[in-house]
Amino acid sequence: MGKTRLEAFSDGVLAIVITIMVLELRVPEGGHDLSALRPLVPVFLSYVLSFVYVGLYWNNHHHMLHATHQVSGRILWANLHLLFWLSLVPFTTRWVGESPSEPWPAAVYGCVLLSAAIAYFLLQGSIVAHEGPGSTLARAIGSDWKGKTSPFFYALGIGLAFVHPWLSYALYVLVAILWLIPDRRIERRLDAPRESAT
């Protein structure tokens, strides 16, 4: 099967996720100066972190599918599994924004991040299983140290939520920064045939 519909559907879901998140940013009630925005700082910061995460997933998903030639039913279900967890990001973002100092919102936010990371790993594995160990994607991801260490940090963040929620957020930000560092493995692998042809 071709991958066009899977890409279009995934892009649409992620666009809706971002739209829902931004609609949760409310204009402050009462007050018409900058001090009225102070209570909204946690809400805005949770939105920024979640926007970065959704952007990272969209970016990596795009690159992964660019290196994919065909999809199977298993890949379609693995992709839906990932989108399910990402669709919960707006809910957890709002909860964290409204109760940033409470342990359960920080822990549940981490659970969603952990589940999305596992779902992405399963989707990646489904594509590699379908296309084979010699596929472009399999050769590009290699040892995938970031993909393997991120769940550990999320799990640690979930536990630390009950010690101090801000420690959890610090770990979640750290993982986001790790993924913000450009990772050109797939781009390099896709460019390799062109470079060797010249």
Side-chain angles (χ1 to χ4, degrees), residues 39-59:
L40 299 180
V41 169
V43 175
F44 179 72
L45 291 177
S46 65
Y47 166 77
V48 170
L49 181 60
S50 295
F51 184 92
V52 168
Y53 266 109
V54 173
L56 288 170
Y57 273 102
W58 177 81
N59 196 326

Side-chain angles (χ1 to χ4, degrees), residues 90-172:
F91 165 74
T92 55
T93 300
R94 180 165 184 183
W95 199 18
V96 164
E98 291 180 352
S99 307
S101 300
E102 297 297 323
W104 278 107
V108 171
Y109 190 84
C111 287
V112 169
L113 293 179
L114 174 61
S115 299
I118 292 169
Y120 186 88
F121 182 79
L122 293 174
L123 173 59
Q124 185 174 262
S126 297
I127 294 171
V128 170
H130 181 68
E131 299 205 330
S135 64
T136 303
L137 181 61
R139 287 180 287 131
I141 58 177
S143 63
D144 192 23
W145 69 271
K146 286 198 283 190
K148 290 175 181 171
T149 56
S150 297
F152 168 77
F153 285 118
Y154 295 140
L156 183 59
I158 293 165
L160 286 174
F162 299 97
V163 176
H164 200 298
W166 294 101
L167 294 174
S168 299
Y169 302 136
L171 278 176
Y172 304 153

